[in-house]
Amino acid sequence: MSTKPEAPEKGKDFIRQIIDKDLEKGAYGGRVHTRFPPEPNGYLHIGHAKSICLNFGLARDYDGKCNLRFDDTNPVKEDVEYVDSIREDVRWLGFDWDNNFYASDYFERLYFIAELFIKMGKAYVDHQTADEIRENRGTLKEPGVNSPYRERSVDENLALFRSMRAGELPDGACILRAKIDMAAPNVMMRDPALYRIKHATHHRTGDAWCIYPMYDFTHGLSDAIEGITHSICTLEFENNRPLYDWCVDTLMDGLKRTELFGENAAIYTELAALPGFTDRPRQYEFARLNITGTVLSKRKLIQLVKENHVNGWDDPRMPTISGFRRRGFTPESLRDFCDRIGVAKADSMVEYPLLEACLREDLNKRAPRYMGIMDPVKMVIENYPEDQVDEFEIALNPEDESYGTRTVPFSREVWIERDDFMIDPPKKFFRLGPDREVRLRGAYYVLCTGYETDADGNVTLIRATFDPASRGGWLEGGRKVKGTLHWVSARHALSAEVRNYGPLFTTENPNAVEEGKTFVDYVDPNSLEILADCKVEPAMADLPAGTNLQFERTGYYCADLRDHKPGQALVFNRTTTLRDTWAKIQKQTA
Ligand code: ATP
Ligand code: MG
């Protein structure tokens, strides 16, 4: 019998392969515990969705756990509005956390961990100015220079750190630094900052603290405190990994040195008993998601919002999760997209049309169909009795019978799409023109008998006759028509506002800009088109906000989450057109 380990399952990403190996070795007692750690300094974007799907997906697939942890160590940029939006977005994507923690939950413990580092001779208070620290850090080629404060005594460092905490020193007076190695080849390891003074009100801890721990110090220790096993972050943190390890390892050493515990022994004993300080977490890096045609950086997204280039974080042109939601993307389509792009170790650029392809595939299955006229022109069916109304039952979703039908009324006057009619149509135009016959979807054949124009030559009215034998849109054994048009009975039509969105930027890559320009110079001011008076079926009167639907022959739309009011104001966002540009690209490159 072979004892060789099984080859990694085909298609398993490198993180899952690592976890499989860990489980084989019996690491972490078979536990898999991940976390998603956003800083609450903005709304989540599609890049975060990738991280969410990965971290929560691992917990799901390995019967493990995933925490939501707010990395809230920078009080100046953080806000509860962001905390709330992040929680909403994670849930909307279809995930739920096992615990919701905040780095600020650990401020007290982190403070005493820093004290222990000082007692171990592993941290010191540095009074150099920020400029001096930068200068003395050295470069990639040259080692740094030791701070003149590096050899301060433990007692002096403790006293200074305590006075930092007590608020006796102004912002920037000094910092607490790890004492590692100013000549380390990895610049990150040249005595990195652990704590800084910041007299600022924190959205959770208020004014309890005027010193705040730095990201690198906080992150690994928070992971260990929570018993995280696999700490997954993006590639730009690769150089931070030795520091992550240093912080956890140093504390693990320190927790053995009970003689240093002093009067705070209870805190240290409690930490030492946590599984995370026996079987410690490890950091793994994967590639960030980049997507064509947009920016994925909170700093840039904030700028778009603050400078009013868009209408808020959930503007349907934004690559935020809330923007995609309002645009009409489904959580299923975003999750499918994240699955399809996979998890890799090298950065790459994903084509936006792939995201749209995932969306169309999902909406095709789930979106009920309706008829809506974007640019209406009236057609009078002159042989149809003035007071007559036909009612047609038309399937809501040809992909899924369980959706049932809606009732579509037909009368003497109907709206059709302006560009479905041409006065002098070319041969291949299979829609309407003088003396041509088409099918009105689900209703009747109509023959165009004339039209009227205004002084500028714009068509204002189309005259037609219908064939009563073609009821339902079919003429058994009779002549065939090539074109099928969508339509709405004028007498029964509801007015609706339709918002069409184009790309927010005029370039495929707003991250690479010409010299002297910034990415906002590429914002397309015409990327939102509002059609104020579209005509839609009466069956749409009470659709709730957030409903996904297809306007036949036109595209996928979603009843706007903010402005659509059932029974009062109908407002639809175009989610995407029906045309599949992705299939085209694939064909071209095949
Ligand atoms: P940004 O650069 O947009 O501000 P961030 O990395 O600073 O993003 P965080 O709130 O710190 O944002 O991120 C939370 C988690 O989401 C982190 O683990 C981070 O690595 C991950 N993440 C952020 N952006 C992306 C992305 N584009 N692709 C994949 N994961 C991402
Ligand atoms: Mg960040």
Side-chain angles (χ1 to χ4, degrees):
M1 218 166 53
S2 165
T3 53
K4 261 198 269 172
E6 270 179 62
E9 217 174 281
K10 222 177 163 206
K12 272 205 181 180
D13 59 63
F14 77 98
I15 302 228
R16 284 176 166 83
Q17 295 181 22
I18 289 169
I19 294 179
D20 286 348
K21 283 212 183 96
D22 281 345
L23 290 176
E24 239 168 66
K25 284 189 298 196
Y28 305 112
R31 288 188 307 119
V32 173
H33 200 156
T34 57
R35 85 287 170 264
F36 172 63
E39 183 178 355
N41 61 350
Y43 281 59
L44 298 181
H45 52 64
I46 181 90
H48 293 112
K50 178 177 178 182
S51 177
I52 292 169
C53 289
L54 176 59
N55 281 297
F56 285 93
L58 290 172
R60 175 198 59 210
D61 297 346
Y62 287 93
D63 207 7
K65 290 186 173 163
C66 182
N67 292 353
L68 172 62
R69 184 197 316 139
F70 290 106
D71 215 324
D72 57 346
T73 53
N74 187 359
V76 185
K77 291 190 174 166
E78 295 159 2
D79 199 275
V80 278
E81 178 196 345
Y82 301 136
V83 168
D84 294 342
S85 77
I86 289 168
R87 291 164 57 95
E88 183 183 358
D89 289 350
V90 172
R91 286 220 167 99
W92 178 77
L93 269 178
F95 297 104
D96 204 355
W97 42 88
D98 290 278
N99 303 287
N100 182 185
F101 292 129
Y102 296 75
S104 55
D105 294 336
Y106 312 131
F107 279 174
E108 189 76 17
R109 274 168 277 183
L110 291 170
Y111 173 80
F112 285 107
I113 291 169
E115 279 208 351
L116 188 61
F117 281 17
I118 292 173
K119 290 180 191 168
M120 294 166 76
K122 297 286 186 187
Y124 63 97
V125 174
D126 193 348
H127 272 82
Q128 293 182 102
T129 63
D131 284 341
E132 287 167 335
I133 289 179
R134 202 173 310 120
E135 266 165 43
N136 290 336
R137 190 174 293 134
T139 63
L140 284 176
K141 288 189 191 124
E142 281 170 50
V145 176
N146 283 355
S147 163
Y149 305 98
R150 202 171 192 266
E151 300 309 325
R152 276 175 159 155
S153 70
V154 166
D155 286 345
E156 191 185 359
N157 279 319
L158 261 187
L160 282 169
F161 189 49
R162 286 174 181 165
S163 95
M164 280 168 70
R165 176 187 184 164
E168 291 158 8
L169 299 168
D171 287 7
C174 53
I175 59 172
L176 183 74
R177 293 180 81 172
K179 194 169 178 179
I180 307 179
D181 180 6
M182 288 305 291
N186 180 348
V187 180
M188 284 281 170
M189 299 299 276
R190 295 182 188 169
D191 292 9
L194 302 181
Y195 263 93
R196 64 201 187 289
I197 304 173
K198 199 159 251 181
H199 291 267
T201 304
H202 186 279
H203 68 98
R204 288 187 79 233
T205 57
D207 295 319
W209 294 90
C210 61
I211 57 172
Y212 290 93
M214 303 299 288
Y215 171 86
D216 289 298
F217 177 70
T218 310
H219 205 87
L221 295 173
S222 304
D223 281 346
I225 290 172
E226 292 178 15
I228 301 304
T229 56
H230 301 80
S231 178
I232 300 159
C233 62
T234 40
L235 277 180
E236 70 272 23
F237 288 99
E238 202 170 2
N239 283 337
N240 303 52
R241 190 184 344 128
L243 181 52
Y244 178 105
D245 291 340
W246 184 90
C247 289
V248 176
D249 290 338
T250 302
L251 180 58
M252 284 171 74
D253 288 344
L255 292 175
K256 291 181 195 127
R257 297 183 55 185
T258 47
E259 78 278 7
L260 298 178
F261 287 5
E263 58 191 16
N264 298 303
I267 290 179
Y268 299 121
T269 317
E270 216 174 279
L271 284 171
L274 294 174
F277 293 104
T278 315
D279 228 353
R280 43 157 299 197
R282 304 260 163 204
Q283 174 182 307
Y284 302 94
E285 306 90 18
F286 73 106
R288 286 179 87 81
L289 170 65
N290 296 301
I291 206 167
T292 54
T294 193
V295 293
L296 291 185
S297 131
K298 274 186 267 179
R299 185 180 57 77
K300 288 180 177 165
L301 297 175
I302 286 176
Q303 193 180 342
L304 289 173
V305 173
K306 293 259 152 85
E307 294 177 4
N308 298 314
H309 298 289
V310 294
N311 303 315
W313 285 99
D314 64 352
D315 185 302
R317 290 166 294 181
M318 288 282 272
T320 51
I321 294 179
S322 52
F324 281 118
R325 174 168 61 234
R326 197 169 161 202
R327 175 95 171 232
F329 279 66
T330 57
E332 290 82 357
S333 63
L334 294 185
R335 291 202 304 262
D336 180 33
F337 172 71
C338 292
D339 283 347
R340 287 207 221 173
I341 56 176
V343 179
K345 271 193 247 192
D347 276 318
S348 68
M349 183 68 90
V350 178
E351 304 275 348
Y352 183 82
L354 172 60
L355 179 53
E356 285 192 310
C358 296
L359 175 72
R360 287 195 186 96
E361 203 177 300
D362 188 45
L363 289 179
N364 182 48
K365 281 183 273 174
R366 73 172 67 239
R369 273 63 164 175
Y370 292 97
M371 293 193 283
I373 310 296
M374 303 294 126
D375 185 7
V377 63
K378 196 173 270 183
M379 174 192 272
V380 185
I381 300 153
E382 295 185 310
N383 61 339
Y384 193 91
E386 197 101 36
D387 51 0
Q388 188 173 317
V389 173
D390 269 298
E391 285 190 340
F392 295 103
E393 290 299 318
I394 303 183
L396 272 167
N397 187 349
E399 302 286 321
D400 186 344
E401 259 184 38
S402 73
Y403 279 62
T405 61
R406 82 263 191 201
T407 305
V408 188
F410 181 87
S411 62
R412 179 181 161 92
E413 294 188 352
V414 298
W415 295 110
I416 67 165
E417 211 70 74
R418 180 169 298 278
D419 65 9
D420 276 340
F421 176 82
M422 281 180 85
I423 294 175
D424 193 10
K427 244 188 147 179
K428 289 241 162 122
F429 184 81
F430 297 125
R431 298 176 247 169
L432 201 60
D435 302 321
R436 290 192 177 201
E437 191 173 43
V438 294
R439 170 190 300 113
L440 292 184
R441 159 98 167 102
Y444 290 107
Y445 282 15
V446 289
L447 173 73
C448 175
T449 54
Y451 62 91
E452 290 174 13
T453 58
D454 64 15
D456 301 321
N458 299 312
V459 175
T460 52
L461 189 80
I462 296 165
R463 301 186 185 284
T465 56
F466 84 114
D467 181 349
S470 63
R471 194 170 195 283
W474 301 101
L475 198 60
E476 283 301 326
R479 60 194 187 279
K480 296 203 162 65
V481 288
K482 282 213 165 129
T484 299
L485 309 189
H486 56 282
W487 54 275
V488 174
S489 163
R491 200 197 301 176
H492 304 92
L494 303 174
S495 282
E497 177 178 316
V498 166
R499 299 173 184 170
N500 290 335
Y501 300 94
L504 181 56
F505 296 99
T506 55
T507 163
E508 272 281 280
N509 187 1
N511 296 297
V513 298
E514 262 175 65
E515 221 180 276
K517 291 198 172 180
T518 77
F519 78 103
V520 291
D521 296 324
Y522 295 86
V523 169
D524 183 351
N526 302 315
S527 49
L528 165 61
E529 175 196 40
I530 296 181
L531 307 176
D533 194 13
C534 301
K535 304 296 182 189
V536 305
E537 292 182 28
M540 302 182 76
D542 297 316
L543 292 182
T547 304
N548 291 104
L549 59 106
Q550 186 195 100
F551 278 126
E552 293 192 31
R553 299 179 64 225
T554 306
Y556 291 104
Y557 292 77
C558 179
D560 187 60
L561 283 167
R562 283 190 187 277
D563 304 328
H564 177 89
K565 302 277 180 288
Q568 297 170 37
L570 308 186
V571 181
F572 301 104
N573 296 317
R574 185 171 70 197
T575 312
T576 184
T577 55
L578 294 179
R579 186 187 38 147
D580 190 342
T581 39
W582 176 243
K584 244 195 209 161
I585 288 178
Q586 277 183 320
K587 248 189 224 148
Q588 282 164 5
T589 53

